[in-house]
Amino acid sequence: LPGRAHAAIATQNKVEKMLAAQGKTRNDLGRERFLERVWEWKRKYGGIILEQLRRLGASCDWERERFTMDEGLSVAVREVFVRLYEKGLIYRDRALINWCPRCKTALSDEESPGKELPGKLWSIAYPLADGDGEIVVATTRPETMLGDTAVAVHPSDERYRHLVGRYAILPLVGRRIPIIADVHADPEKGSGAVKITPAHDFDDFQVGLRHQLPQVVVIDEDGKMTAEAGPYQGLDRMEARARVLRDLEQQGLLRGVEDQVTPIPHCYRCDTVVEPALSTQWFVRMKPLAEPAIRVVKEGKIRFHPPQHQETYFHWMENVRDWCISRQIWWGHRIPVWYCDRQHMVVSRVTPSSCPECGSTSLRQDEDVLDTWFSSWLWPFSTLGWPERTRDLEVFFPGDTLVTGPDIIFFWVARMIMASLEFMGDIPFRDVYFHSIVRDPEGRKMSKSLGNSPDPLWLIDGATVEELGEFAKKNPSYAKGVPAYGADALRISMVYLTPVGGDIRFDHTLVEFGQRFANKLWNAARLVLLNVRAEDEPLPVEEIRAEELSLVDRWILSRLRAAVEAVRTALQEFRFSDATRALYKFVWNEYCDWYLEFAKEHLDASAEPRRRQVTLSVVLAVMERILRLAHPFVPFITEELWQALPAGCRRVQGVASIMVQSYPQPEQTLSDAHAEEAIALVQEVINAVRNIRGEVRVPPQARVSLIVQWAEARHQELLRESLPYMARLAKVAEVKFETARPRAAASAVVGRMSLFVPLEGVIDLELERGRLRKEIERLTGQLETLNVRLNNRDFLARASQEVVERERQKKSDFEARLGRLQMCLSSLD
RNA sequence: GGGCGAUUAGCUCAGCUGGUCAGAGCGCUGGUCUCACAUACCAGAGGUCACUGGUUCAAGUCCAGUAUCGCCCACCA
């Protein structure tokens, strides 16, 4: 179900910026016309992200697009507001909130994240009102002293006991303020005395309430000083700070300055320093909503992946504070509250025509709109028709899995859980998967202001330097433009590169991984299709008798089963990166590197017809499973290739899409330990020969003989049968089983067998000696550590029987192998 | 101040419940245009698994501490 939120503040800012470019403000247009402009903007740009999703192949139900400002969702918002109000969970109050002086609106705590910045801590002396003496307080915001209405000390602080109840004179403004005793003052911090500014500090606000202190507002909604600030009136808050400090300095009241790093809340939309401000706003009482939401996660009804995010969730939930939901902007859901001219308040689902209390028809709706998240938190059910009891709700609620970023646990995840429990009486989803955050190559979070976030469409379609514009200048690795990697390449690369629980430093060159994978898949399929003739009738593998399958067929089917199992397990456990790893290994290192090479042997014209038919059937069957298995990661290319397969390979005839085929299941019957063991041996032999050829510099075209010593009968048979494969993959012309060691031969040991590649004349004896010595050295080292272990009485006594036995076996294997290698080495003399 | 995570080859990352001597991709070196793929194939070099202790017969793998980096939370004296 694709869709998006209306992003109230961000969108309004965007449109206001456009107006500003024309020298206009929203007030010039008025509310109605301004909103028209926003809708226009939304129509123009709001679809971009959905288009990106579409191009990435997200398999949404594109006919069900939803938007938080849709009529239906707006009905849900009003319903929720009224219900919570009636339940006493929504209230209106004059309190301290986070205020962004640039956006000119209240923000929630979550929208005002603290950023640690270097600052200073100033100590200021307040002279006592009666007689001599002073009391020193410290602050990082000297300009707020203009609004001080008390100085507090801890009740049990002996140093100040004699001052409690007396008065200090607030410098610069000359106000007489009481010295009070309150536990808020921490004797350990600073001088132990703290200035109290109820209108501009969250703690002080509480202290003010406890002691009925006046709330003196000295900073207005623009961040400028008010008339209460006396001579500082009209100054910007930062300017005022400098002036206050200068004046205090001149009056000799500054008692010290220290450097201090302090977390300062910033507007998450415009990054302006947020001001704690006194104002009348709407709030949601959160505690009652949080309790059940904590429970469902504690009880495992909702599971987080990776689970450590649960701690973050619990911490927030357990310390949750009331949620300020009103915003002083225009773009959003208007608060469903009306006031009549006699100040009666009407909270209503529908626009009232008259005041139910006094009958007045002169009603004015609350000017404010709601926080965007007040509609987003309803998404799991508001999009399905709630508050009506629709069929969609019945079918699709609750959902299965929420995939989202850990940065919106509080904004969205936590609140959706609360809302669903409150209004639906059920959880919204069972699993929450937190994906990685994509960072730029320097590790910085991608953001619009940094301009370091590439458009996925550039990566998919490619982009020239001109098309990248500013972006290419700011980001060095894009200085020459971006090649077209394709959507599949982008998708699988992102999944592959994403560690569970970690972030990813993204650079477009990383997408080469996916590009190569897609290319490999494409070419493998080409090879397969090239071998299908019109008259071929591939058989479903289930219909081929086991005896007719070759060893390599049984091997690849067995490996396929393991791969399917590995991918499925990884997906079930939300280890998506592991899933792509397993897929990649199977496709590239088993199917392409080995099986297709083996299969070529049976696919060419000279092959025996039945053998060829069986091989082709297996080749196709495995390819078909691969395409389905890979489809979630590379949907476009797999769909394309799957369509190209002969119809007989597909499970359902005449169906248009790979999507409707079920995801591959591990088929237990295909497991074949014997085939796996046998092919592993063949691979080892081929690798050994290749290693010799590579290291001893056998000319690539030269064919070689292979002489095998100490081979058991079954291995002799296996290797004889495998000669065609060895010929193809290691240019082995013949394989002979002899007891005599050939002269001037390169050698290797596989299992208990000695392999010799006679290279009379060609061989560089020194190269070969070096090879063997290196191997002998390695083995000797390993044997040594084994011996130490096996000679350790503690090990024998304490380690499990099983482990000891395994180590013994290993020792005898190593010794045998070492003996063989030494014989090989001495035979060169 | 509290919490969480990371630290493994030049780079990006795997290594689950401790018992093959550490793996992949990229990059690098050497060799191949072998009829699916040079976006490929073959071979190779490269790591005191951040540091210090501890537990254990045995530790990248468990515990404690240190360092560096990152994230989140916290009332900005």
Side-chain angles (χ1 to χ4, degrees), chain A residues 153-192:
Chain A
V153 298
H154 197 272
S156 60
D157 193 334
E158 297 297 338
R159 295 171 296 175
Y160 295 110
R161 181 156 292 177
H162 66 288
L163 293 180
V164 174
R166 294 170 64 184
Y167 287 83
I169 297 295
L170 190 61
L172 309 184
V173 285
R175 189 160 56 238
R176 235 169 79 96
I177 56 174
I179 296 168
I180 59 172
D182 192 281
V183 288
H184 165 63
D186 181 348
E188 305 292 316
K189 275 189 187 170
S191 64

Side-chain angles (χ1 to χ4, degrees), chain A residues 380 384 393 395-402 426-431:
Chain A
L384 297 171
L393 270 177
V395 175
F396 296 114
F397 186 94
D400 293 313
T401 303
L402 172 72
D426 200 355
I427 53 172
F429 29 70
R430 295 179 188 85
D431 292 285

Side-chain angles (χ1 to χ4, degrees), chain A residues 134-326:
Chain A
E134 59 183 36
I135 186 162
V136 175
V137 296
T139 181
T140 55
R141 296 194 304 154
E143 70 281 10
T144 62
M145 67 161 288
L146 303 169
D148 282 4
T149 52
V151 170
V153 298
H154 197 272
S156 60
D157 193 334
E158 297 297 338
R159 295 171 296 175
Y160 295 110
R161 181 156 292 177
H162 66 288
L163 293 180
V164 174
R166 294 170 64 184
Y167 287 83
I169 297 295
L170 190 61
L172 309 184
V173 285
R175 189 160 56 238
R176 235 169 79 96
I177 56 174
I179 296 168
I180 59 172
D182 192 281
V183 288
H184 165 63
D186 181 348
E188 305 292 316
K189 275 189 187 170
S191 64
V194 58
K195 61 193 270 314
I196 301 297
T197 323
H200 296 286
D201 181 281
F202 286 96
D203 288 325
D204 295 0
F205 180 74
Q206 295 302 328
V207 177
L209 290 183
R210 285 200 284 273
H211 299 267
Q212 285 102 44
L213 298 173
Q215 300 164 333
V216 178
V217 174
V218 290
I219 302 172
D220 70 11
E221 58 178 30
D222 295 314
K224 291 199 163 48
M225 305 313 285
T226 64
E228 293 278 7
Y232 305 94
Q233 179 179 6
L235 290 179
D236 177 79
R237 52 191 166 148
M238 297 303 166
E239 223 175 306
R241 174 177 301 177
R243 292 277 284 275
V244 164
L245 284 167
R246 196 194 62 193
D247 295 346
L248 286 170
E249 172 94 70
Q250 275 174 5
Q251 297 183 21
L253 294 170
L254 269 186
R255 287 291 174 273
V257 193
E258 282 171 52
D259 287 321
Q260 179 171 295
V261 175
T262 23
I264 298 171
H266 283 68
C267 173
Y268 88 138
R269 284 309 183 199
C270 75
D271 212 35
T272 301
V273 174
V274 161
E275 207 57 52
L278 201 53
S279 125
T280 300
Q281 303 286 348
W282 288 93
F283 297 88
V284 176
R285 232 180 273 287
M286 298 295 266
K287 275 263 179 285
L289 297 175
E291 278 159 22
I294 291 171
R295 217 175 306 128
V296 291
V297 176
K298 282 241 160 90
E299 288 169 355
K301 292 197 174 106
I302 296 177
R303 294 173 297 260
F304 285 15
H305 312 273
Q308 53 275 28
H309 289 299
Q310 284 179 9
E311 296 310 313
T312 313
Y313 174 85
F314 290 137
H315 185 265
W316 184 79
M317 278 288 189
E318 279 154 12
N319 298 287
V320 72
R321 289 189 289 177
D322 286 357
W323 175 17
C324 174
I325 51 171
S326 41

Side-chain angles (χ1 to χ4, degrees), chain A residues 593-642:
Chain A
D593 285 352
W594 293 98
Y595 181 67
L596 287 181
E597 296 301 329
F598 290 149
K600 282 175 183 172
E601 203 51 42
H602 310 298
L603 289 175
D604 61 36
S606 60
E608 190 268 315
R610 181 64 183 176
R611 168 89 278 133
R612 185 178 169 280
Q613 188 191 15
V614 168
T615 303
L616 186 65
S617 301
V618 175
V619 163
L620 280 165
V622 177
M623 175 52 80
E624 198 269 346
R625 305 303 193 280
I626 285 174
L627 293 176
R628 279 194 276 139
L629 199 61
H631 185 260
F633 309 103
V634 280
F636 296 103
I637 195 174
T638 48
E639 175 74 41
E640 178 85 12
L641 293 174
W642 191 82

Side-chain angles (χ1 to χ4, degrees), chain A residues 110 304-314 316 373 402-416 432-439 445 498-504:
Chain A
E110 291 70 35
F304 285 15
H305 312 273
Q308 53 275 28
H309 289 299
Q310 284 179 9
E311 296 310 313
T312 313
Y313 174 85
F314 290 137
W316 184 79
W373 301 101
L402 172 72
V403 178
T404 192
D407 50 342
I408 51 176
I409 290 182
F410 315 132
F411 283 116
W412 203 35
V413 182
R415 287 177 185 151
M416 279 196 282
V432 184
Y433 175 73
F434 292 104
H435 59 240
S436 305
I437 300 283
V438 181
R439 299 176 176 279
K445 209 163 165 173
T498 296
V500 177
D503 288 352
I504 168 175

Side-chain angles (χ1 to χ4, degrees), chain A residues 440-598:
Chain A
D440 73 6
E442 277 89 68
R444 296 174 304 181
K445 209 163 165 173
M446 286 189 172
S447 75
K448 291 187 193 80
S449 51
L450 276 175
N452 58 350
S453 169
D455 185 334
L457 297 183
W458 296 337
L459 301 165
I460 293 172
D461 300 325
T464 61
V465 187
E466 292 74 45
E467 285 165 326
L468 295 177
E470 274 300 297
F471 187 80
K473 288 184 201 126
K474 282 187 189 158
N475 300 276
S477 76
Y478 294 81
K480 290 178 181 159
V482 192
Y485 291 110
D488 285 335
L490 181 56
R491 278 174 73 114
I492 196 167
S493 297
M494 296 307 293
V495 178
Y496 176 82
L497 290 164
T498 296
V500 177
D503 288 352
I504 168 175
R505 287 184 180 217
F506 181 82
D507 186 78
H508 71 87
T509 55
L510 295 173
V511 184
E512 286 168 11
F513 166 84
Q515 193 184 27
R516 281 198 318 274
F517 181 74
N519 184 251
K520 192 71 177 175
L521 206 53
W522 181 263
N523 282 302
R526 247 178 42 148
L527 169 68
V528 171
L529 294 171
L530 238 46
N531 278 285
V532 182
R533 300 178 202 142
E535 68 275 18
D536 280 330
E537 284 174 23
L539 308 161
V541 270
E542 311 83 69
E543 289 176 21
I544 303 172
R545 293 204 319 280
E547 311 86 78
E548 286 198 281
L549 292 170
S550 69
L551 187 63
V552 292
D553 292 337
R554 280 182 281 133
W555 172 75
I556 196 64
L557 290 170
S558 188
R559 296 308 303 151
L560 169 68
R561 190 201 119 275
V564 167
E565 209 160 56
V567 172
R568 290 189 76 106
T569 304
L571 290 181
Q572 267 155 15
E573 294 172 359
F574 295 89
R575 291 181 290 109
F576 301 127
S577 178
D578 286 352
T580 58
R581 270 166 227 277
L583 176 71
Y584 178 96
K585 267 185 94 158
F586 177 69
V587 171
W588 203 303
N589 303 122
E590 302 197 286
Y591 186 70
C592 290
D593 285 352
W594 293 98
Y595 181 67
L596 287 181
E597 296 301 329
F598 290 149

